[in-house]
Amino acid sequence: MSLDWQGAWLSVIHHPLFGIAITLGAYQVVLAGYEKTRWVFLQPVLVSMLVVIGVLVTCGLSYAEYRNSTEILSILLGPATVALAVPLYLNLRRIRQLFWPVLTTLVIGGVFATALCVGLGYVLGADHMILMTMAPKSVTSPIAMLVAEQIGGVAALAAVFVLITGVIGGIFGPGLLTLAGVQSPEARGMALGLTAHAVGTSAALQEGEECGAFAALAMSLMGVATALFLPLAVSLVA
């Protein structure tokens, strides 16, 4: 590679917009492939993440530089989450009709998802720090990181568990629900949003507006309940 080409290439990969370009480009390409093939393991979040990692390693870019160049995307996560209120509003009447089933699902499903994770970790010999880090795995990263820190876990590692939970839920959740005979869009949305947070909600939105609305509702309620009650439960048990 000549010096001119090398200089031009370095200018491109170190440009402030390069991180945004490869992030959005990788996701759109993988999403197009997923929508065309519907291959379950071509999960857009997981595969696009692997593509971005491959590009960063190939180009020799550090994570710190990538994070700085994509800071605007992190800022936009807030408005994107708030935008989930739109399908909630459009399906508000149906949500009101199912208020008690929704509340019951939240309590039973939320407690079961958290208790099962911590229980399995305890049986397998995980120490207290890991258990507290895994406990808020079924909510979005900002809430999970904050709660994990409050109850004695590691915030950065909590984000990893959240990502793993969401990806696994997004890949296997819809198929398992179909296999179990769950056809109701309300029930499917609640299950996906409750256990796989934002990734599950994304999968639910692909199934339909009503399914996505209940997934967004479940994700929101699970986040609030975890932030309020998990630290309280840990303090009572400790």
Side-chain angles (χ1 to χ4, degrees):
M1 184 180 293
S2 66
L3 291 179
D4 290 340
W5 277 104
Q6 187 176 13
W9 172 245
L10 291 175
S11 298
V12 170
I13 65 175
H14 291 292
H15 192 279
L17 296 179
F18 182 72
I20 296 178
I22 62 173
T23 302
L24 297 180
Y27 184 80
Q28 289 300 320
V29 170
V30 175
L31 181 62
Y34 174 77
E35 291 180 342
K36 184 176 181 179
T37 63
R38 288 295 172 179
W39 189 39
V40 67
F41 289 102
L42 200 62
Q43 212 285 329
V45 174
L46 173 63
V47 180
S48 60
M49 178 184 68
L50 296 176
V51 172
V52 170
I53 291 174
V55 172
L56 294 180
V57 171
T58 302
C59 295
L61 290 176
S62 66
Y63 172 71
E65 185 174 357
Y66 170 76
R67 182 183 58 193
N68 290 334
S69 68
T70 56
E71 188 174 2
I72 184 63
L73 297 180
S74 300
I75 296 174
L76 292 175
L77 281 176
T81 302
V82 174
L84 291 173
V86 174
L88 280 176
Y89 175 77
L90 295 176
N91 291 273
L92 188 58
R93 178 178 297 180
R94 185 59 176 159
I95 292 172
R96 286 175 176 172
Q97 292 173 347
L98 296 174
F99 174 79
W100 288 111
V102 166
L103 184 60
T104 303
T105 302
L106 173 68
V107 173
I108 297 176
V111 171
F112 182 79
T114 303
L116 181 63
C117 169
V118 175
L120 285 175
Y122 179 80
V123 170
L124 294 174
D127 61 28
H128 178 76
M129 182 269 291
I130 294 296
L131 294 178
M132 295 302 98
T133 303
M134 293 172 61
K137 64 173 179 53
S138 294
V139 298
T140 54
S141 294
I143 297 176
M145 294 171 70
L146 179 62
V147 172
E149 216 166 24
Q150 288 179 342
I151 62 179
V154 179
L157 190 56
V160 175
F161 286 129
V162 168
L163 176 62
I164 293 172
T165 300
V167 169
I168 292 176
I171 290 175
F172 296 107
L176 289 174
L177 289 171
T178 301
L179 190 63
V182 180
Q183 300 297 331
S184 166
E186 298 92 343
R188 293 176 69 90
M190 285 294 297
L192 291 170
L194 195 65
T195 57
H197 47 84
V199 181
T201 301
S202 176
L205 285 168
Q206 292 176 6
E207 295 192 9
E209 183 183 278
E210 189 173 9
C211 184
F214 277 86
L217 176 65
M219 179 185 70
S220 303
L221 293 177
M222 182 66 174
V224 172
T226 299
L228 291 177
F229 297 115
L230 186 57
L232 178 62
V234 170
S235 66
L236 292 175
V237 173

